[in-house]
């Protein structure tokens, strides 16, 4: 059994044998705090008190020269043994040399330093400690020898040069220090080395020497930092002309490398200190035009402060405009098809008022044609042309340039694929404002011929109608209907135009042509317009005929309601006294309206029995009409036909055919349907029995 339970992955041991049994944790029964609490400070203090004393070797007192020799021999042997073991450990060499130095045996100490240098001559600390030993004990020539060897072997270690020069300067050997500087400068050190040489000369008032060093400095390191230091040196020595010349030479010689914020800010501040505010302003503006926006934050800030101090409101606005220009330029460089940026850029230039700049921005913007000939890509782009044209017309007041802008825009749009009615209309309206109607008609005619649109037709017709050119309006409506024969709006407006001109027969003929069309986009609006047309003309019989023709096409309950309401408002034939006439006319109108409602109810019941809600709405309208006639009306006729509302449930299914539960809906049961549903009374009786039984159970 044990073999069967063994696991090969566990070395054929059982799971039970490999389980690690941990000791049970001690349960603390009393968890209340002790009366005497022990702090961390007390624990540390006790640990320190119980710490054993450190074992130190006994101090040895040397009493005679023999013991001293033995001591030195023993120590040297220890150091030599350590060196043999860890030859590359410079710390051992340093300790050995310093011990020999403490024994005043400088020859041995030098020997050890030299042996250490042979091991690691690139170790800067080794040379420093060696030279410091020689200087500390005033072995000047030895120290010079060490420094000279060090700077020869490690010429790129600035610390060695500094220490060497410092020693010579402390000894008063200025010529020797200068000579060392010259040796150093041949290696072309960084800015700190040149600055140290210049400061050395200035400490001894050697201004001309310092100037010559600056010339070599900017030639060796042609950087902004070097030139700014040179200029500040000249200004500090009171030579403003030479300081300005330094800045100008820096800009000229450095070229693109000199186009930095640091140089221009320093130059502008120099001119500002010299009370040359115009020079400073020109420098700031030049810098803002040539330095990228991301690298000129401090420059903008300094320029704003400068303008607030020395300039006026216009100057400050120019600064803000310049900053925004840079932002927009950077954005359009990234994406030239970002038309929102071009809109903002053009608005900025329009606020500035420089017409040439505005035109330049618009020309650059419209040059970024959308990459694809799809209308959705052109929507924002077209508004650039619109804004450009409006600027030329309203702000620049240049008629020819405005006309040219519209012309070029219309040439650019691919009218065979898509067009923009707005551009055609704006171009035509511009010509109208210039009192050139022929040009406007020519533009709109081209629009209809190349890219007809509803908006173009409507605008063209409206313009001709305002000019009372009726024949042109008729021609345009004919063209409109040839292009869009299914447009009910065009048919209605054409007929309305004829009616307004008193041409009733022409209007009626247009309506007849319209309703005869096989396809219409909004036939209900066309029929309504035709019926309203006949009602306004007082042709009640024609109106009835229209309703009957419409009912032949559709049996919608709204048509029946409209027909019934029409009959309820139309008076009958005049005969007898006024009161009798009025009463009889109302009675006739009610009867005609009631007859329409009865026809409608029968039609909906027979042709569309499932449309119960529409029938209910029809009955409600009928009841409203009966109520409106007061005593003449008979609401009971309608009330007998009104259905009863009941709530029912029906199954709901998902798209895949699975059941999604049940939903509640309202059903309408009409009186004539009661006999057709024999189970309904049984259900009602069962419901009453269940309700009665529930009440009896509660009483018990």
């Amino acid at each position: 059994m044990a073999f069967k339970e063994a696991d090969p992955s566990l070395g054929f041991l059982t799971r039970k044998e490999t389980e690690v049994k941990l000791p049970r944790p001690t349960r603390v029964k009393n968890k209340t705090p002790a009366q005497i609490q022990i702090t961390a400070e007390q624990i540390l203090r006790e640990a320190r008190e119980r710490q054993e004393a450190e074992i130190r070797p006994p101090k040895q007192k040397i009493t005679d020269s023999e013991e001293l020799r033995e001591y030195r021999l023993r120590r040297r042997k220890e150091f030599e043994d350590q060196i043999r073991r860890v030859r590359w450990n410079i710390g051992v060499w340093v300790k050995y040399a310093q011990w020999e130095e403490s024994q005043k045996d400088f020859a041995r100490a030098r020997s050890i330093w030299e042996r250490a240098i042979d091991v690691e001559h690139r170790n800067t600390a080794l040379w420093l400690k060696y030279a410091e030993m020689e200087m500390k004990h005033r072995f000047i020539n030895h120290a010079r020898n060490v420094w000279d060897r060090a700077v020869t072997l490690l010429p790129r270690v600035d610390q060695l040069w500094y220490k060497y020069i410092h020693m010579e300067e402390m000894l008063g050997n200025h010529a020797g220090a200068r000579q060392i500087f010259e040796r150093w400068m041949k290696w072309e050190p960084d800015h700190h080395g040149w600055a140290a040489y210049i400061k050395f000369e200035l400490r001894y008032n050697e201004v001309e020497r310092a100037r010559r060093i600056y010339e070599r400095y900017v030639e060796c390191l042609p950087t902004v930092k070097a030139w700014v230091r040179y200029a500040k040196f000249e200004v500090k020595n009171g030579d403003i002309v030479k300081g300005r010349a330094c800045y100008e030479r820096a800009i000229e010689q450095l070229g693109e490398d000199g186009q930095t914020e640091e140089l221009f800010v320093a130059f502008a501040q120099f001119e500002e200190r010299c009370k040359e505010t115009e020079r400073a302003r020109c420098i700031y503006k030049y810098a803002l035009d040539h330095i990228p926006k991301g690298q000129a934050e401090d420059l903008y800030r300094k320029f704003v402060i400068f303008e607030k101090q020395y300039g006026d409101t216009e100057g400050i606005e120019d600064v803000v405009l310049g900053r925004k220009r840079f932002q927009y330029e950077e954005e359009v460089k990234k994406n030239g098809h970002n038309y929102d940026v071009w809109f903002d850029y053009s608005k900025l230039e329009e606020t500035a008022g420089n017409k040439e700049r505005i035109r330049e921005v618009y020309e650059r913007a419209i040059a970024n044609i959308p990459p694809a000939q799809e209308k959705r890509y052109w929507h924002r782009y077209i508004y650039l042309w619109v804004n450009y044209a409006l600027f030329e017309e309203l702000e620049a007041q240049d008629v020819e340039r405005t006309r040219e802008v519209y012309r070029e825009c219309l040439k650019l749009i691919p009218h065979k694929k898509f067009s923009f009615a707005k551009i055609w209309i704006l171009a035509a309206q511009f010509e109208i404002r210039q009192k050139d109607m022929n040009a406007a008609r020519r533009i709109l005619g081209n629009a209809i011929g190349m890219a007809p649109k509803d908006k173009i037709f409507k605008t063209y017709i409206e313009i001709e109608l305002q000019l009372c050119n009726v024949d042109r309006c008729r021609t345009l409506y004919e063209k409109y209907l040839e292009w869009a024969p299914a447009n009910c709006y065009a048919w209605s407006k054409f007929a309305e135009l004829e009616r307004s001109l008193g041409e009733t027969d022409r209007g009626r003929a247009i309506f007849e042509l319209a309703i005869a069309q096989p396809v219409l986009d909004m036939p209900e609006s066309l029929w309504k317009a035709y019926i309203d047309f006949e009602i306004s003309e007082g042709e009640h019989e024609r109106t009835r005929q229209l309703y009957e023709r419409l009912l032949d096409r559709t049996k919608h309950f709204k048509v029946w309601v409209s027909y019934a309401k029409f009959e309820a408002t139309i008076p009958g034939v005049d005969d007898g006294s006024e009161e009798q006439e009025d009463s009889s006319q109302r009675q006739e109108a009610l009867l005609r309206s009631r007859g329409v409602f009865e026809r409608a109810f029968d039609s909906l019941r027979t042709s569309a029995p499932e449309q119960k809600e529409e029938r209910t709405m029809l009955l409600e309208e009928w009841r409203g009409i009966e109520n409106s006639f007061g005593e003449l009306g008979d609401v009971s006729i309608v009330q007998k036909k009104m259905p009863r509302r009941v709530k029912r449930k029906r199954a709901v299914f998902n798209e895949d055919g699975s059941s999604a539960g049940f939903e509640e809906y309202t059903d309408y049961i009409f009186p004539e349907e009661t006999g057709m549903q024999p189970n309904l009374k049984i259900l009602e009786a069962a419901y009453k029995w269940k309700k009665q039984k529930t009440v009896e159970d509660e009483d018990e």
Side-chain angles (χ1 to χ4, degrees):
M1 289 296 291
F3 178 75
K4 289 180 180 179
E5 293 177 0
D7 190 349
S9 63
L10 301 175
F12 294 96
L13 297 173
T14 61
R15 295 280 180 183
K16 191 172 182 181
E17 290 172 344
T18 57
E19 287 181 359
V20 179
K21 294 183 179 180
L22 298 174
R24 291 181 62 187
T26 306
R27 294 182 61 186
V28 181
K29 296 181 179 179
N30 186 5
K31 295 184 180 181
T32 57
Q35 294 181 357
I36 301 173
Q37 295 292 316
I38 300 173
T39 62
E41 182 183 358
Q42 184 178 352
I43 294 169
L44 292 173
R45 188 170 59 251
E46 288 179 359
R48 185 171 181 78
E49 288 174 356
R50 295 179 183 180
Q51 189 175 4
E52 295 180 358
E54 184 181 356
I55 300 172
R56 293 182 180 181
K59 289 184 179 181
Q60 184 180 4
K61 291 183 180 181
I62 299 172
T63 56
D64 57 6
S65 58
E66 188 66 29
E67 288 184 2
L68 178 59
R69 279 195 303 271
E70 289 178 2
Y71 166 71
R72 286 177 177 173
L73 182 63
R74 187 174 65 255
R75 288 291 292 163
R76 284 180 184 132
K77 188 176 183 303
E78 290 173 359
F79 279 120
E80 290 294 341
D81 291 340
Q82 285 184 355
I83 287 169
R84 276 195 298 272
R85 286 196 302 271
V86 285
R87 178 180 177 80
W88 302 102
N89 191 342
I90 301 302
V92 177
W93 290 102
V94 171
K95 288 179 181 179
Y96 191 5
Q98 288 176 348
W99 180 81
E100 291 290 358
E101 181 188 351
S102 66
Q103 298 300 313
K104 305 299 181 183
D105 195 343
F106 299 110
R108 283 181 178 277
R110 287 190 191 100
S111 174
I112 294 163
W113 286 118
E114 292 295 338
R115 287 166 64 194
I117 287 169
D118 287 340
V119 174
E120 186 59 55
H121 72 279
R122 293 184 179 278
N123 194 312
T124 307
L126 208 58
W127 288 103
L128 291 173
K129 291 181 184 296
Y130 188 8
E132 283 174 4
M133 183 201 78
E134 299 290 5
M135 287 193 298
K136 186 165 62 173
H137 298 287
R138 299 183 180 277
F139 299 120
I140 303 302
N141 290 329
H142 282 288
R144 283 196 181 106
N145 184 25
V146 173
W147 287 126
D148 195 79
R149 290 163 61 200
V151 297
T152 303
L153 290 171
L154 302 172
R156 293 298 179 188
V157 180
D158 294 345
Q159 191 177 9
L160 298 175
W161 292 102
Y162 286 130
K163 292 281 187 179
Y164 192 6
I165 293 164
H166 179 66
M167 184 191 78
E168 295 293 353
E169 191 175 359
M170 294 297 291
L171 294 171
N173 186 9
H174 302 154
R178 188 174 290 114
Q179 189 177 2
I180 297 165
F181 266 122
E182 288 297 333
R183 284 177 61 191
W184 189 13
M185 295 306 113
K186 289 179 183 178
W187 289 97
E188 297 182 357
D190 61 2
H191 297 279
H192 298 293
W194 289 99
Y197 193 6
I198 293 163
K199 288 179 182 177
F200 167 76
E201 295 294 356
L202 291 177
R203 279 199 294 272
Y204 303 104
N205 297 320
E206 296 288 348
V207 178
E208 285 302 322
R209 283 180 179 273
R211 186 173 285 115
R212 287 197 296 272
I213 295 167
Y214 264 119
E215 289 292 340
R216 293 164 58 194
Y217 176 23
V218 296
E219 185 178 352
C220 176
L221 297 174
T223 60
V224 172
K225 187 175 183 180
W227 281 104
V228 170
R229 285 183 175 182
Y230 190 8
K232 288 182 178 179
F233 161 76
E234 295 292 1
V235 174
K236 190 175 181 180
N237 287 287
D239 199 336
I240 294 173
V241 177
K242 286 186 177 179
R244 184 176 291 118
C246 285
Y247 284 116
E248 292 171 355
R249 285 173 60 196
I251 295 171
E252 181 181 352
Q253 293 183 17
L254 293 176
E256 292 184 0
D257 294 335
Q259 306 288 331
T260 61
E261 185 181 47
E262 181 186 358
L263 179 60
F264 287 113
V265 168
F267 194 5
Q269 288 178 344
F270 160 75
E271 296 292 358
E272 189 178 344
R273 284 193 295 271
C274 295
K275 309 299 181 184
E276 295 285 350
T277 54
E278 285 304 318
R279 279 176 174 270
R281 184 175 286 109
C282 291
I283 291 166
Y284 275 124
K285 288 183 178 180
Y286 177 84
L288 291 173
D289 291 338
H290 289 79
I291 299 178
K293 171 219 166 221
Q295 303 172 12
E297 292 295 331
D298 189 51
L299 185 67
Y300 280 118
R301 187 173 54 80
K302 294 281 178 61
F303 190 22
V304 171
I305 295 171
F306 171 81
E307 288 294 345
K308 286 180 179 178
Q309 189 173 358
Y310 298 104
D312 51 6
T313 307
E314 185 178 353
I316 297 171
E317 288 178 356
D318 287 342
V319 177
V320 176
L321 285 173
R323 185 169 187 173
K324 288 184 178 178
R325 277 193 194 105
F326 270 105
Q327 293 176 353
Y328 291 137
E329 286 292 341
E330 291 295 322
E331 290 181 10
V332 297
K333 280 180 185 176
K334 293 177 184 176
N335 182 10
H337 292 92
N338 189 349
Y339 301 121
D340 291 330
V341 176
W342 285 112
F343 285 129
D344 296 337
Y345 197 180
S346 59
K347 283 181 183 178
L348 175 71
E349 294 298 347
E350 286 182 20
T351 56
N354 190 334
K355 292 181 181 178
E356 292 304 320
R357 272 185 173 274
I358 297 168
R359 287 190 178 117
E360 180 188 354
V361 171
Y362 273 122
E363 290 293 337
R364 288 171 59 196
I366 60 178
N368 294 283
I369 302 171
Q373 290 189 353
E374 294 183 24
K375 192 169 183 178
R376 59 196 178 98
Y377 294 119
W378 287 64
H379 281 297
R380 302 290 290 164
Y381 173 70
I382 285 299
Y383 276 97
L384 287 171
W385 286 93
V386 172
N387 290 351
Y388 190 10
L390 292 176
F391 160 74
E392 292 291 355
E393 182 184 0
L394 302 176
E395 300 295 332
Q397 297 182 354
D398 192 332
V399 176
E400 287 304 319
R401 284 186 71 93
T402 307
R403 189 174 285 117
E404 185 66 23
V405 170
Y406 280 122
R407 190 180 299 120
E408 292 299 322
C409 180
L410 290 171
K411 283 182 184 177
L412 185 65
I413 299 170
H415 299 290
K416 290 183 179 179
K417 294 186 176 181
F418 59 85
S419 185
F420 293 92
K422 188 178 187 67
I423 296 294
W424 293 104
I425 293 168
L426 287 174
Q429 289 174 345
F430 163 73
E431 296 295 350
I432 292 171
R433 288 193 290 273
Q434 305 309 315
K435 300 180 180 179
D436 191 349
M437 278 304 302
N438 291 329
R441 287 191 179 105
R442 196 159 47 246
I443 290 169
L444 291 172
N446 289 335
I448 291 172
M450 295 173 67
K453 286 180 174 288
D454 288 331
K455 197 173 182 181
I456 295 173
F457 278 110
K458 292 174 185 176
T459 305
Y460 198 179
I461 292 167
E462 186 180 352
I463 291 170
E464 295 295 353
L465 197 58
Q466 289 175 354
L467 296 173
C468 299
N469 291 326
V470 178
D471 292 336
R472 284 183 179 273
C473 290
R474 284 173 176 155
T475 305
L476 286 171
Y477 270 121
E478 289 171 4
K479 294 286 185 184
Y480 192 1
L481 292 170
E482 283 178 12
W483 174 67
N487 193 326
C488 294
Y489 173 85
W491 288 107
S492 301
K493 286 294 181 181
F494 193 7
E496 187 180 335
L497 170 67
E498 297 296 350
R499 179 175 172 274
S500 64
L501 296 172
E503 297 286 348
T504 308
D505 293 336
R506 290 176 67 95
R508 187 175 288 115
I510 290 167
F511 273 122
E512 288 294 333
L513 283 172
I515 61 176
Q517 296 298 317
V519 179
L520 292 171
D521 56 357
M522 295 178 65
E524 63 278 3
S525 64
L526 182 66
W527 280 96
K528 184 178 185 305
Y530 193 5
I531 290 168
D532 291 342
F533 169 81
E534 295 293 1
I535 291 173
S536 62
E537 292 296 325
E539 296 288 346
H540 300 153
E541 195 58 39
R542 286 180 178 273
T543 306
R544 288 190 185 94
Q545 292 174 6
L546 276 177
Y547 271 118
E548 294 295 337
R549 289 167 64 188
L550 179 57
L551 288 170
D552 290 340
R553 298 192 178 195
T554 176
K555 301 293 184 180
H556 198 277
F557 86 98
K558 286 187 177 180
V559 178
W560 288 108
V561 170
S562 176
Y563 189 9
K565 286 182 177 180
F566 161 73
E567 293 291 0
T569 55
I570 301 304
V573 184
D574 297 341
D575 54 351
S577 62
E578 293 183 2
E579 291 183 2
Q580 290 178 352
E581 286 177 7
D582 182 57
S583 177
S584 61
Q585 288 175 2
R586 293 188 67 200
Q587 185 69 31
E588 289 177 10
L590 176 60
L591 291 174
R592 289 196 302 271
S593 176
R594 189 179 291 160
V596 173
F597 274 120
E598 288 175 351
R599 285 175 58 198
F601 185 77
D602 293 339
S603 174
L604 289 175
R605 183 178 59 186
T606 56
S607 62
E610 70 281 356
Q611 296 181 358
K612 295 184 177 182
E613 191 171 354
E614 284 76 2
R615 272 193 284 166
T616 305
M617 293 168 68
L618 180 73
L619 290 172
E620 288 175 354
E621 292 288 346
W622 187 0
R623 185 169 56 187
I625 293 292
E626 294 287 350
N627 284 326
S628 65
F629 278 89
E631 294 179 357
L632 295 175
D634 190 357
V635 181
S636 61
I637 298 173
V638 184
Q639 207 63 38
K640 292 176 183 177
K641 299 177 182 291
M642 289 297 288
R644 184 162 54 87
R645 288 184 175 86
V646 294
K647 287 186 178 181
R648 293 183 176 176
K649 289 184 180 180
R650 60 187 170 197
V652 181
F653 298 95
N654 295 321
E655 294 180 358
D656 58 355
S658 60
S659 177
F662 294 86
E663 67 173 359
E664 195 176 68
Y665 71 99
T666 302
D667 194 10
Y668 299 91
I669 299 173
F670 289 88
E672 64 270 15
E673 295 176 355
T674 305
M676 298 170 63
Q677 297 180 355
N679 294 331
L680 187 64
K681 291 184 177 180
I682 298 172
L683 290 172
E684 288 180 359
Y687 176 74
K688 289 180 181 178
W689 173 80
K690 186 176 181 181
K691 188 175 180 181
Q692 184 179 0
K693 189 174 182 181
T694 304
V695 173
E696 290 175 357
D697 292 342
E698 288 177 357
D699 293 340
E700 290 176 0

